[in-house]
Amino acid sequence: FCDFLTARARYSLVWVTASAPFGLVLVILGLMSWRQSEVWRDTKTLWRHVIAVAPESSIAHYNLGRIFESDSQFAEALEYYRRALVNNPLNADAHYNLARLLAKQGEPDEAISHYRTVLKIRPKDAEAHNNLGLLLVARGESEAGLSEFQQAVQLDPKYTKAFFNMGRVLAQQSKLNDATQNLQRALSVSPNEVEILVVLADILTRQRRFAEAVAHLHKSAAIKREIADVHVALARALAAD
């Protein structure tokens, strides 16, 4: 259930429109040149050619970074996302993907900076709020992280990840009633996610709401019997009852 702790990559290719400025027209010309040739082996080669034709194209650098990332060539992906931002500092997707990769590479401070830039450009980006919140919590700034999760769920009332993350942080702060409410909101959207069920059951156990905890754990075990944590938590709840 790691999706609740990470954000999805923004992998879709970026194309240009008929109203594109001159620099992007060069990108189109590069694409036309590619289509008229039989020498290009793959999209990576294509975008390298487009960069050769239009080296100032943020779109081309971004797309090449995306391809490198999808091939797990993260150092190269970081390089091309950075080049995309040199050409266009307002490329929010490049900031977003760069932030994700920096977080994975153990560079949370720089990742936080890029997520904040995303939110200056795109303040209604719920995923960016959620991811920024995770990094702030990991850095010990729990209240700032909770604020980001709250903004995420205000923007997207069905954003399971943010409700889940908020519930876990509140539980760590021993705010068990608030934690339970947020986890129940997460469960209402994703009723079969085992990690939500297990974490909620653990908090209910701490609240001595044993029957509810056991019910959630039985459901968890029915979904994924092989998960040891489910059985351990179930045993704890039964022993406490």
Side-chain angles (χ1 to χ4, degrees):
F1 198 62
C2 62
D3 281 349
F4 279 90
L5 303 179
T6 59
R8 67 174 177 80
R10 297 183 179 184
Y11 284 156
S12 58
L13 287 175
V14 176
W15 299 97
V16 296
T17 65
S19 60
F22 178 72
L24 297 188
V25 172
L26 292 179
V27 176
I28 297 173
L29 294 176
L31 292 172
M32 291 173 62
S33 174
W34 167 69
R35 290 184 176 179
Q36 293 168 357
S37 172
E38 296 179 357
V39 302
W40 308 119
R41 298 181 300 277
D42 52 35
T43 52
K44 191 179 294 183
T45 306
L46 159 65
W47 288 112
R48 279 178 167 152
H49 172 68
V50 173
I51 289 171
V53 174
E56 78 290 350
S57 170
S58 180
I59 289 174
H61 284 92
Y62 169 78
N63 282 334
L64 193 53
R66 180 203 59 78
I67 293 166
F68 275 116
E69 183 179 355
S70 68
D71 290 341
S72 298
Q73 295 177 268
F74 300 126
E76 293 83 355
L78 285 170
E79 177 185 353
Y80 279 98
Y81 289 146
R82 291 187 192 280
R83 291 183 185 181
L85 292 174
V86 169
N87 289 324
N88 179 11
L90 298 180
N91 186 330
D93 284 336
H95 280 291
Y96 183 96
N97 283 3
L98 183 56
R100 276 189 313 95
L101 286 186
L102 287 167
K104 287 182 179 180
Q105 299 294 317
E107 299 289 344
D109 292 341
E110 191 178 356
I112 286 170
S113 176
H114 284 287
Y115 276 130
R116 283 177 167 155
T117 302
V118 171
L119 291 169
K120 288 179 182 178
I121 302 167
R122 229 166 27 204
K124 294 184 178 181
D125 190 323
E127 289 187 6
H129 280 293
N130 178 69
N131 295 352
L132 175 58
L134 287 170
L135 291 174
L136 292 171
V137 169
R139 199 165 70 172
E141 300 177 40
S142 295
E143 292 304 320
L146 285 171
S147 176
E148 295 299 331
F149 299 144
Q150 185 62 45
Q151 290 180 74
V153 298
Q154 287 175 351
L155 291 165
D156 182 357
K158 293 185 178 181
Y159 195 4
T160 307
K161 299 176 187 179
F163 279 117
F164 177 81
N165 292 329
M166 191 154 38
R168 292 192 69 168
V169 174
L170 289 166
Q172 291 168 1
Q173 296 179 337
S174 296
K175 298 176 181 178
L176 300 185
N177 289 335
D178 291 338
T180 298
Q181 290 176 8
N182 280 282
L183 289 165
Q184 286 173 335
R185 289 287 299 274
L187 197 62
S188 69
V189 179
S190 301
N192 294 318
E193 290 292 352
V194 169
E195 190 168 358
I196 300 176
L197 290 163
V198 172
V199 172
L200 178 56
D202 182 68
I203 296 171
L204 290 168
T205 301
R206 291 168 64 185
Q207 294 176 292
R208 304 189 67 79
R209 295 164 63 177
F210 302 123
E212 295 172 75
V214 170
H216 286 307
L217 292 168
H218 277 305
K219 182 176 180 179
S220 301
I223 296 169
K224 289 189 177 180
R225 291 185 176 276
E226 71 277 10
I227 296 179
D229 287 347
V230 171
H231 298 286
V232 171
L234 179 58
R236 286 174 56 194
L238 290 170
D241 194 359

